[in-house]
Amino acid sequence: MSQQITPELRQWIIDQARAGHRPEAVLAAMRASGWEETVALDAMETTLQGFMDTLQKPAVQPAPLAKVAVPEPRLKDRPSVVMAGDRPVQVLMTMDNPRVVVFGGFLSEQECDQLVELARPRLARSETVDTATGGSEVNSARTSSGMFFGRGESALHQRIEARIAALLNWPVDHGEGLQILRYGPGAEYRPHHDYFDPDQPGTPAILQRGGQRVGTLVMYLNTPAQGGGTTFPDVGLEVAPLKGNAVFFSYAHPHPDTRTLHGGAPVISGEKWVATKWLRERVFA
Ligand code: PD2
Ligand code: ZN
């Protein structure tokens, strides 16, 4: 008479495995209770393989995160200097994961000073977008203040925006207006991601205009005496804040696995001024 592998037998085999009994012991127990060796082995093999598969596969597979095109400088031929529209810019450092590129001499001294003087009378306590509501909230950093310029609001802005677009191969109309931040002594920008958190209820409203942020260019408008570097804690990287230099990073999907967590380290002495350009997936009108 042929022996049947019943659901009860399968469950019993799984229970033995769960209880930590070795396969040889389970086989011996089956043989002792009259199971033919080949049938017992077959039952164990098929049952345990199916059981291992259920352990490895989560019942609900997370939806794969859609990757999109991102801004990216043309660095395939490893140039030491790239032409960014109207200005040659040095390539000081590149990293692949996270994608980070540090540029030297992106802005002239005069352009830095002009941005600071245009922003100074318009500064207010720094705000960051609150994705819970879609509105704004004051950043917890102690003495930082900031403002947003409108895109293309002066010839200076247009020139710098065109340079960013040329450097990063990303259309001017996909960029937000420049944000200026001023940090006093002790001020910092705690580590954060620049993309909008997909799990926050306010995010869909924010994404209506231009989609996700996919890249950031932080430009240093002065050189603080001490402190104020831009940090990437996931990879132990700190970019020195040198006047006219800039750090670029991109994130193809809004997830921490992009390793683009970054912050502004506390300014120890002096002050720190930066201009930040955020680049969106689509036209930001
Ligand atoms: O000022 C910085 O170094 C910094 C750090 C992190 C700026 C930003 N984020 C930002 O503007 O998003
Ligand atoms: Zn940031």
Side-chain angles (χ1 to χ4, degrees), residues 77-245:
D77 298 332
R78 297 289 183 267
S80 44
V81 175
V82 281
M83 209 51 211
D86 64 333
R87 189 175 168 88
V89 173
Q90 300 162 342
V91 181
L92 300 182
M93 190 218 77
T94 68
M95 185 180 264
D96 289 337
N97 182 15
R99 184 56 171 159
V100 178
V101 183
V102 180
F103 296 107
F106 179 76
L107 295 174
S108 71
E109 295 252 343
Q110 197 192 21
E111 287 167 337
C112 292
D113 298 343
Q114 285 174 336
L115 285 177
V116 167
E117 292 322 316
L118 288 169
R120 196 187 293 279
R122 291 162 61 178
L123 289 181
R125 200 72 216 273
S126 285
E127 295 197 331
T128 53
V129 174
D130 178 1
T131 45
T133 62
S136 292
E137 65 178 4
V138 173
N139 184 2
S140 60
R142 266 181 290 168
T143 54
S144 79
S145 48
M147 55 84 61
F148 271 96
F149 288 118
R151 201 174 59 214
E153 78 163 62
S154 77
L156 171 71
H157 294 82
Q158 287 168 23
R159 183 167 80 234
I160 294 170
E161 285 161 6
R163 191 179 301 156
I164 295 170
L167 179 68
L168 301 176
N169 293 300
W170 208 249
V172 168
D173 66 9
H174 286 38
E176 299 180 31
L178 285 178
Q179 179 200 234
I180 306 293
L181 287 177
R182 176 200 171 272
Y183 305 76
E188 66 180 306
Y189 199 159
R190 301 235 168 82
H192 59 273
H193 295 96
D194 281 353
Y195 55 75
F196 302 107
D197 182 347
D199 293 333
Q200 289 297 319
T203 294
I206 295 169
L207 299 188
Q208 291 275 315
R209 189 179 173 205
Q212 264 293 0
R213 286 176 175 165
V214 289
T216 304
L217 185 71
V218 177
M219 294 154 270
Y220 304 105
L221 304 181
N222 78 322
T223 304
Q226 284 180 285
T230 303
T231 61
F232 292 82
D234 292 341
V235 288
L237 174 66
E238 179 161 344
V239 178
L242 295 175
K243 185 174 183 175
N245 288 6

Side-chain angles (χ1 to χ4, degrees), residues 14 17 45-57:
I14 289 168
E45 229 171 75
T46 56
T47 304
L48 292 177
Q49 189 55 56
F51 176 61
M52 296 301 284
D53 286 351
T54 65
L55 284 185
Q56 275 153 16
K57 253 186 239 147

